Amino acid sequence: AHVPPMPALSAPSSAVAFGAVPSAAGFGQLRASRQLALGSDIRGGVSSSLGDEASAGIGICTAATSVLAGTAAVWAARRGLRQHRLARSSKKLVGRAAGAASAVAVAPKVAVGPGYDREAWLAAFKNVEEEECYTVACADLPKDLRGTYFRNSPSKFEIGTDKIMHPFDADGMVCAASFDGEGHMHFRNRFVRTPGFCEELVAGKMIYRNQFSCKPGGWAANAFDFRIKNLANTNVLSWGGRLLALWEGGKPFELDPTTLATVGENNLAGVLKDGDQFTAHPRIDAAKKRLCGFQYQPNPVADETKLTFWEFGSKGFDLENKVVQTVPGFGFFHDFVVTPNYFVLSYAPTGLSFSALGWVVAGTKAMGQAIEFDKTKPARMLLIPRDGSAMTTIEVDTHFCFHFANGFEEGGRVVVDMVQAEDLELGNSFASDEPLWRSADFSKVPRSTLWRYELASDGQWSRRQLSESPLEFPGIPPRLSGQRHRYAYCAAMGSKESVGPAQGLLRVDAEDAAGASLWMPDPHQFLGEPIFVPRALGAGAEAPVREDDGYVVGILFDGRAGRSEVLVFDAAKVAAGPISRVPLRSQLPHGLHGCWSPGPVPSEAALQEAWSKSPLDLSAGR
């Protein structure tokens, strides 16, 4: 397509609204991009050059970050952490598998591709040079696709000459793709301006030690330094008219939903107190129209982990319910599900290596290296009543779960679909002088597959495998969250025999395993987390009858072409491939999690005006 040169737009005179900080070299320079479209009409937009301080892209193929609370010195003082005594508020039931425990239902295999192009995957590990705002015209975009897809990703892997060594330790960048239903997609991307992000960018070096890697300088720079920064790099939430970047080790950071400019830390209308964090995986109770979130806080002195759950009303962050429970030992939780009567967690047999903690204190290891997984002990499913009554603990098979698809109740049982692996692998950033992704050995990464568990309050349980294909990032139609569902849309790996990066889209059918459908791109292409998007209904239109009546949206990176695309699929015809491919000007890093915000979107003119008035240099936020 012919693309006319874009007119230069004037830079904003100041950044008063967000408290501008003098920019690092090259960071705050505004210029009009004149890049050509890749097969479509891309127009408009101001970009801010990030220069040498820009972030680098990173591919993460399986799970998101998790953060350990407390200091290593305190943990090292507690030696009895491995004792699995009962929490006072819990009743423990040893799980009894319904029927023959060994007769586990296994799903048939789905044919997948031959594998992945490693060099193409590594090509995403490249600095993001610009924050941009522009519009792409694409005639084949569905007219009933109206709203905004937001996605978060760790994206800043170089600070001056210092390198981040583990992908989970990189600062977050949020991108937005707004669809107007008239053949246009409005795109923009911005880093989350947390105080730590701004401090390190001004300093031109790493200041903070991370959870999975240390600062340069060895033990002298890291010993007894337990400072961390809020990375805001895992997920993004749109709720009650607010947009929040999430990282479970701290409080959310609010962003302007139009420009993605950072507003500042948000305590959810005062619900989050000093020392509180908020999950990177909130859940929606679709029936009650409530937002549910949680935090976990290990206590080494009491040898227990405190769990706090919150429920918020549909119009914002009015607190509707709060439940507090405790579990014995060291709890390590990343995701949960909510059903009509329960919050559900998978409690893996995790603990801390006290020998490793000594090296953490000495500054030669990070806290992430102190987590250990005991394959000889069972995992436990926690059924935590939303009314605050005593929880039920059910021992099940040994596994680790990073992500759930959904949970619901049926026939007196709690049913949960989860991606699980037989072991926990977080990666060792100290095994090489190169960043972890350079030395990543996927043969050592546990195989993650989708399973359904049925749990009864009397301890009975059973499970069956929904898909034998390695996968991650499962999702369902949001209107069925907490209710019975049939389909789960997952990021599929490129080989049925081995683990690798997320590449394709797999629709798992929980009622008919043979009905699974798969789309797989070329080995040098990588599709991230899929998001189900409901069709935008016109006035008087009836709600959809079919569960899969809608679309699936995701971002694909092409490692050979060095570019990214936004893909749109018909949710009922996944195997047919994308119905729309919207090219972006440049490549984006492999991402983590995102969300869909329905409704009208700003016009191109309104978006450009708002973008030109918002700060593009450093902002410490507020």
Side-chain angles (χ1 to χ4, degrees):
H2 173 67
V3 182
M6 293 177 293
L9 301 180
S10 59
S13 58
S14 65
V16 176
F18 295 90
V21 174
S23 63
F27 189 90
Q29 299 300 316
L30 302 182
R31 59 185 177 84
S33 297
R34 298 181 180 273
Q35 300 170 340
L36 295 181
L38 300 172
S40 295
D41 175 18
I42 301 179
R43 61 183 185 270
V46 174
S47 301
S48 66
S49 173
L50 301 187
D52 294 337
E53 289 77 25
S55 67
I58 172 64
I60 296 181
C61 62
T62 51
T65 184
S66 293
V67 180
L68 308 178
T71 68
V74 176
W75 279 112
R78 182 66 183 178
R79 299 288 180 177
L81 190 60
R82 297 179 185 178
Q83 299 172 355
H84 293 278
R85 69 176 186 266
L86 293 179
R88 288 183 295 274
S89 59
S90 169
K91 59 178 180 178
K92 177 182 176 182
L93 295 170
V94 177
R96 300 181 297 279
S102 60
V104 177
V106 179
K109 293 182 179 180
V110 176
V112 295
Y116 75 103
D117 182 331
R118 184 177 178 85
E119 290 305 313
W121 175 67
L122 288 172
F125 295 53
K126 182 180 179 181
N127 284 5
V128 177
E129 300 291 350
E130 294 173 315
E131 293 176 306
E132 301 178 286
C133 175
Y134 56 87
T135 294
V136 184
C138 188
D140 57 8
L141 282 170
K143 294 186 181 301
D144 54 1
L145 179 65
R146 293 194 296 274
T148 300
Y149 165 48
F150 296 100
R151 190 195 74 166
N152 203 342
S153 61
S155 300
K156 188 171 183 291
F157 283 76
E158 292 182 356
I159 307 170
T161 59
D162 293 343
K163 294 182 179 179
I164 301 294
M165 300 299 288
H166 196 292
F168 292 174
D169 292 332
D171 292 288
M173 182 186 73
V174 173
C175 64
S178 296
F179 302 87
D180 64 3
E182 299 178 358
H184 303 102
M185 186 193 79
H186 308 303
F187 178 84
R188 57 264 191 216
N189 68 290
R190 258 193 180 141
F191 287 97
V192 183
R193 264 68 166 180
T194 66
F197 173 92
C198 297
E199 286 179 64
E200 292 188 330
L201 198 59
V202 170
K205 64 179 182 179
M206 290 176 63
I207 298 174
Y208 295 93
R209 185 177 177 182
N210 295 306
Q211 294 291 333
F212 295 94
S213 59
C214 291
K215 296 181 291 185
W219 67 267
N222 292 277
F224 300 100
D225 184 356
F226 302 108
R227 294 175 299 165
I228 61 172
K229 62 178 177 179
N230 190 321
L231 296 168
N233 69 357
T234 311
N235 204 347
V236 60
L237 168 68
S238 178
W239 185 260
R242 296 181 182 274
L243 183 67
L244 304 175
L246 305 177
W247 179 70
E248 69 199 51
K251 294 179 175 61
F253 266 77
E254 185 176 351
L255 309 177
D256 182 286
T258 300
T259 67
L260 303 182
T262 301
V263 177
E265 189 178 79
N266 190 302
N267 62 16
L268 308 186
V271 171
L272 301 182
K273 309 303 181 183
D274 289 346
D276 283 342
Q277 301 91 37
F278 191 72
T279 178
H281 279 285
R283 291 283 174 171
I284 306 297
D285 180 338
K288 292 184 177 180
K289 295 181 173 55
R290 288 186 179 181
L291 172 72
C292 302
F294 82 105
Q295 69 173 344
Y296 66 99
Q297 297 172 304
N299 184 333
V301 176
D303 189 19
E304 63 186 18
T305 298
K306 179 182 176 182
L307 302 169
T308 305
F309 298 85
W310 301 281
E311 298 184 33
F312 301 95
S314 60
K315 296 183 179 180
F317 294 98
D318 293 332
L319 186 63
E320 300 287 346
N321 187 31
K322 179 180 179 180
V323 173
V324 179
Q325 292 279 13
T326 58
V327 294
F330 173 71
F332 182 34
F333 308 100
H334 179 64
D335 195 4
F336 79 123
V337 288
V338 61
T339 71
N341 294 295
Y342 295 97
F343 304 115
V344 184
L345 290 166
S346 173
Y347 190 178
T350 53
L352 293 178
S353 168
F354 294 104
S355 60
L357 282 174
W359 296 112
V360 173
V361 175
T364 58
K365 286 186 179 295
M367 280 294 294
Q369 275 66 56
I371 301 175
E372 57 184 8
F373 184 89
D374 191 343
K375 295 182 181 180
T376 68
K377 295 181 179 179
R380 289 162 285 176
M381 300 301 298
L382 306 181
L383 304 183
I384 302 172
R386 293 170 67 178
D387 64 5
S389 57
M391 70 179 174
T392 297
T393 301
I394 304 175
E395 289 188 353
V396 296
D397 59 297
T398 303
H399 70 263
F400 189 87
C401 168
F402 265 117
H403 298 115
F404 291 90
N406 190 32
F408 57 94
E409 296 174 31
E410 188 173 75
R413 289 182 170 237
V414 175
V415 182
V416 293
D417 291 356
M418 69 169 80
V419 177
Q420 63 156 250
E422 295 180 351
D423 200 352
L424 170 65
E425 175 59 48
L426 294 171
N428 183 5
S429 62
F430 296 86
S432 170
D433 291 334
E434 292 293 323
L436 180 62
W437 53 92
R438 286 285 175 187
S439 58
D441 183 356
F442 283 103
S443 67
K444 297 181 180 179
V445 177
R447 184 185 180 92
S448 297
T449 54
L450 188 63
W451 291 78
R452 170 164 290 184
Y453 283 72
E454 296 190 16
L455 309 165
S457 59
D458 64 356
Q460 294 277 344
W461 68 279
S462 64
R463 68 168 186 156
R464 65 183 177 94
Q465 192 174 37
L466 300 182
S467 176
E468 195 178 49
S469 299
L471 51 78
E472 253 296 351
F473 300 152
I476 66 162
R479 66 184 178 87
L480 298 178
S481 180
Q483 304 174 47
R484 183 178 179 84
H485 69 280
R486 177 173 181 174
Y487 302 114
Y489 297 86
C490 310
M493 300 174 193
S495 171
K496 64 182 179 181
E497 305 297 338
S498 59
V499 177
Q503 287 189 269
L505 172 60
L506 175 64
R507 187 180 79 162
V508 177
D509 188 335
E511 296 181 6
D512 179 10
S517 55
L518 172 77
W519 175 80
M520 188 63 63
D522 293 331
H524 57 274
Q525 296 177 322
F526 306 89
L527 179 67
E529 179 193 52
I531 296 292
F532 185 94
V533 177
R535 298 180 188 273
L537 300 177
E542 296 183 359
V545 176
R546 294 195 341 264
E547 178 178 328
D548 57 0
D549 187 12
Y551 303 102
V552 176
V553 177
I555 295 177
L556 178 138
F557 169 68
D558 187 322
R560 291 185 183 174
R563 70 174 186 182
S564 295
E565 300 173 280
V566 177
L567 303 190
V568 180
F569 296 81
D570 183 331
K573 302 175 182 178
V574 166
I579 59 175
S580 301
R581 304 182 72 126
V582 187
L584 302 179
R585 285 180 178 166
S586 55
Q587 69 179 50
L588 297 176
H590 301 295
L592 285 178
H593 303 295
C595 71
W596 176 259
S597 179
V601 302
S603 66
E604 180 182 358
L607 186 59
Q608 289 295 334
E609 180 180 4
W611 183 270
S612 67
K613 293 179 179 179
S614 64
L616 291 173
D617 58 353
L618 285 173
S619 172
R622 62 186 183 194

